Amino acid sequence: MFKKDSLPLGMLYGCIAPAIAWVVFGYILHDEVVLLDKPAMPYLVAIVLNLLLLRYVFKKDMGKTANGIMIVTFTFMLLVFMFKMHIR
């Protein structure tokens, strides 16, 4: 279905950690858990996991897959800051 090094595969890989964070903290825990007094912390952890995955994929010389992960990670990062981060 996907080539080993492709943009759609990278976008799929990039969606895994944010999707898990969204399901766990949005539906299972119902936003009851606030880590370090920051409501967006679980999503920021998902972003860090994506960046670690991005580093691994770059070391494997899979540039198109890395671009897909990068697109999803930065899009997700913008969405987290727009919807979860509030100025107090």
Side-chain angles (χ1 to χ4, degrees):
M1 183 172 173
F2 292 116
K3 290 191 250 178
K4 187 176 178 181
D5 183 23
S6 68
L7 186 71
L9 184 62
M11 293 176 86
L12 179 69
Y13 286 162
C15 289
I16 293 172
I20 291 171
W22 180 60
V23 168
V24 168
F25 290 95
Y27 288 104
I28 295 174
L29 298 177
H30 304 290
D31 291 327
E32 294 173 4
V33 175
V34 177
L35 298 174
L36 300 174
D37 202 25
K38 303 285 184 198
M41 187 60 72
Y43 303 105
L44 296 176
V45 170
I47 290 169
V48 169
L49 290 175
N50 266 5
L51 293 176
L52 291 173
L53 177 63
L54 184 68
R55 182 174 180 207
Y56 173 76
V57 170
F58 267 127
K59 282 189 173 191
K60 293 291 182 179
D61 199 29
M62 298 169 63
K64 292 178 185 175
T65 304
N67 286 340
I69 295 170
M70 200 176 332
I71 289 168
V72 170
T73 301
F74 286 114
T75 303
F76 185 69
M77 199 171 9
L78 286 172
L79 291 173
V80 165
F81 283 115
M82 284 174 42
F83 294 114
K84 288 289 184 180
M85 302 301 277
H86 301 286
I87 298 173
R88 294 182 186 207

